[in-house]
Amino acid sequence: MILGIGSDLANIDRISATLDRFGERFKNRVFTEIEQAKAERRRDVAGTYAKRWAAKEACSKALGTGLAMGISWKDMAVKNLRTGQPVMEVTGWAKERLDEMTPPGHEAIIHVTLTDDHPWAQAFVVIEARPITE
């Protein structure tokens, strides 16, 4: 069953300008160390940050809260599997909200997809509840 869907579109040039203006302060406020390390290794640093920004916005929407209800930017983090597939990890208040949304006897799976085509970065997040089978 689908618990939530979220999408977001971020302007890469806007994120680039924010990185230029606020640098480490912006990065440390919004992105985890793992996200920062991934972005800094990429040729398109701003595009990588923009995709992760969009993913966090999309995740907050899928959680039904947006960023106004106490979710910290760092409560949502994009990681990558060895295959390169992005996955969303939630902690803190975002994890609490996810647990509240998940029906008893189910586990929550967060699906995330990222794409970019300069100057746009886009993310979609779908939160699925799957029955726990023993």
Side-chain angles (χ1 to χ4, degrees):
M1 111 185 40
I2 303 299
L3 298 179
I5 299 172
S7 68
D8 194 66
L9 188 65
N11 184 287
I12 296 168
D13 293 332
R14 180 173 155 250
I15 297 296
S16 180
T18 302
L19 289 165
D20 290 343
R21 182 170 180 200
F22 297 105
E24 295 302 312
R25 196 170 99 203
F26 171 66
K27 292 177 196 177
N28 292 332
R29 181 174 163 255
V30 175
F31 302 100
T32 65
E33 288 180 15
I34 291 171
E35 290 173 311
Q36 289 180 48
K38 174 78 170 181
E40 297 300 327
R41 287 193 309 265
R42 303 298 295 264
R43 184 171 35 95
D44 183 9
V45 173
T48 302
Y49 279 120
K51 285 186 280 191
R52 278 148 181 75
W53 172 279
K56 291 168 186 275
E57 288 275 7
C59 185
S60 72
K61 293 170 185 175
L63 289 168
T65 63
L67 286 158
M69 293 181 61
I71 292 179
S72 165
W73 286 102
K74 289 184 175 182
D75 285 348
M76 302 165 287
V78 177
K79 296 184 176 181
N80 293 86
L81 302 177
R82 285 187 177 175
T83 61
Q85 175 184 345
V87 293
M88 181 66 70
E89 180 179 278
V90 292
T91 57
W93 200 89
K95 174 74 169 115
E96 291 174 21
R97 173 66 182 145
L98 181 64
D99 291 344
E100 289 172 5
M101 296 172 60
T102 307
H106 290 73
E107 64 177 337
I109 311 294
I110 302 175
H111 304 276
V112 60
T113 186
L114 310 172
T115 191
D116 65 292
D117 186 8
H118 196 87
W120 301 107
Q122 185 174 37
F124 287 97
V125 170
V126 175
I127 302 175
E128 172 190 10
R130 288 186 189 161
I132 297 172
T133 57
E134 297 183 31

